[in-house]
Amino acid sequence: QGCDGSVLLSGSAGGPSEEQGAPPNLSLRQEAFRIIEDLRARVHKQCGRVVSCSDILAVAARDSVALVYTYIFFTRPQPCSNLIRYDNLNRYPQSGGPNYRVPLGRRDGLTLATRAATLDNLPPPTATTGQLLTALAPKNFDPTDVVALSGGHTIGISHCSSFTRRLYPSQDATMDKTFANNLKAACPQAAAVDGTVNMDIRSPNLFDNKYYVDLMNRQGLFTSDQDLYTDSRTRGIVTGFAINQSLFYEKFAVAMVKMGQLSVLTGSQGEIRGNCSRRSTGVESVLESAVEEAVEILAGF
């Protein structure tokens, strides 16, 4: 539905909505939804109810890229005085990606996305490059945008079920053999539990360009990853990003800003939720209007 915060909405009785429960979104952690709601509460306490959950989500997405950290583990017990304090960002080793300006002013959507709409708009990991380009072209994404956004897989993990069809019953010919054997060890065919692996084997905790190096070495996890290097339309873009990290950062920022402006609600459209997981009640909507009117009055002084 665009960048309207609909994915934050829970279903009836506080359960997942059709959008949250659709297969492409099952990897979204419940802790992440709680973090966004905590951020909303803090922002609204400071500013009043004038900032949407959609804007908070867009800014949080940017900050999660710019402020990615590598956790440091000590091999032996250390006195507390030697531990790194995580509340001082200048002392904490940063390994983040690009920082970019996020246009603001979105309103939150009033409707939940259906399961069908979610599946139609989020290409699966089994998609080929041709399918990706076809699906995203109507949203004004060109091949460079598609390859840059795919670079988000430089961090994060994947469930085995998202790629094991490339391993069993036979190995995908585009996958490096050693890489495939390592994946089989982590994701045995008869496993009762759907395990997880890092999406970028070279630097899983860094937001960098090593994802594209993986692709050049036939170590892309998903079909939708590896096919970007196989397909002649995107192979040169992958190579360019693998060679030039600054270029990747630049194009990733452009594509993220573009994605954050898809079908946004502004002005009197939608609402500003008082809780990111549910739509406002009638009473809350009246209070919201009163707050907005007070803000306009105060702005005149």
Side-chain angles (χ1 to χ4, degrees), residues 179-216:
F179 178 57
N181 289 336
N182 290 337
L183 291 178
K184 289 178 181 178
C187 304
Q189 188 173 17
V193 179
D194 189 10
T196 59
V197 300
N198 291 319
M199 288 195 285
D200 174 8
I201 64 171
R202 282 178 167 73
S203 52
N205 295 319
L206 304 179
F207 197 98
D208 57 17
N209 65 338
K210 296 300 186 291
Y211 161 82
Y212 300 104
V213 177
D214 294 340
L215 301 189
M216 294 182 69

Side-chain angles (χ1 to χ4, degrees), residues 62-75:
R62 186 273 312 279
D63 289 353
S64 70
V65 167
L67 301 175
V68 174
Y69 301 129
T70 303
Y71 288 101
I72 293 181
F73 297 93
F74 296 98
T75 57

Side-chain angles (χ1 to χ4, degrees), residues 94-105:
Q94 297 190 21
S95 54
N99 199 345
Y100 53 90
R101 295 177 63 85
V102 178
L104 302 175

Side-chain angles (χ1 to χ4, degrees), residues 236-259:
I237 304 171
V238 170
T239 302
F241 289 166
I243 295 172
N244 189 337
Q245 181 167 276
S246 296
L247 178 63
F248 162 51
Y249 282 0
E250 174 190 341
K251 298 302 182 183
F252 179 84
V254 169
M256 283 293 287
V257 170
K258 186 183 291 188
M259 184 166 63

Side-chain angles (χ1 to χ4, degrees), residues 131-200:
Q131 291 169 328
L132 288 178
L133 296 178
T134 299
L136 297 177
K139 303 181 188 299
N140 197 33
F141 289 119
D142 61 27
T144 299
D145 296 324
V146 172
V147 177
L149 288 174
S150 297
H153 290 173
T154 185
I155 54 174
I157 61 175
S158 167
H159 287 274
C160 295
S161 56
S162 295
F163 59 83
T164 45
R165 67 184 62 189
R166 299 187 66 205
L167 301 174
Y168 310 108
S170 59
Q171 181 191 320
D172 187 329
T174 64
M175 182 181 286
D176 173 73
K177 186 174 181 179
T178 300
F179 178 57
N181 289 336
N182 290 337
L183 291 178
K184 289 178 181 178
C187 304
Q189 188 173 17
V193 179
D194 189 10
T196 59
V197 300
N198 291 319
M199 288 195 285
D200 174 8

